[in-house]
Amino acid sequence: MQLGKFAESKAQAEVAALLDSGLTRKEAAQKLGIGERNIYRAVTRIKANAARRGYSPEHDMTHV
């Protein structure tokens, strides 16, 4: 995913690191002791921040 550098908070950075290490969203939620929906929300916020900075591979925006 490589979105850890676009995290805006420590919690978002933790989520990104766990997902980058290969864990599923469900496994990351269990490891952090939070709901799986919170993982989805964090990823959505990280991706939105990355897109504002010009990085969104889903939309062929790969140059920050």
Side-chain angles (χ1 to χ4, degrees):
M1 179 161 50
Q2 300 178 357
L3 294 177
K5 60 185 171 185
F6 298 106
E8 295 178 317
S9 68
K10 182 179 178 183
Q12 288 179 1
E14 289 176 352
V15 168
L18 289 174
L19 296 177
D20 286 343
S21 72
L23 293 179
T24 64
R25 292 178 182 193
K26 184 176 183 177
E27 292 169 338
Q30 290 173 347
K31 185 161 184 138
L32 293 173
I34 60 176
E36 191 174 348
R37 183 69 188 137
N38 289 329
I39 299 293
Y40 281 96
R41 288 181 184 143
V43 170
T44 300
R45 289 181 181 135
I46 294 169
K47 285 185 175 182
N49 187 36
R52 281 192 300 271
R53 293 183 184 181
Y55 181 77
S56 181
E58 295 93 10
H59 301 102
D60 199 29
M61 295 169 46
T62 57
H63 301 290
V64 180

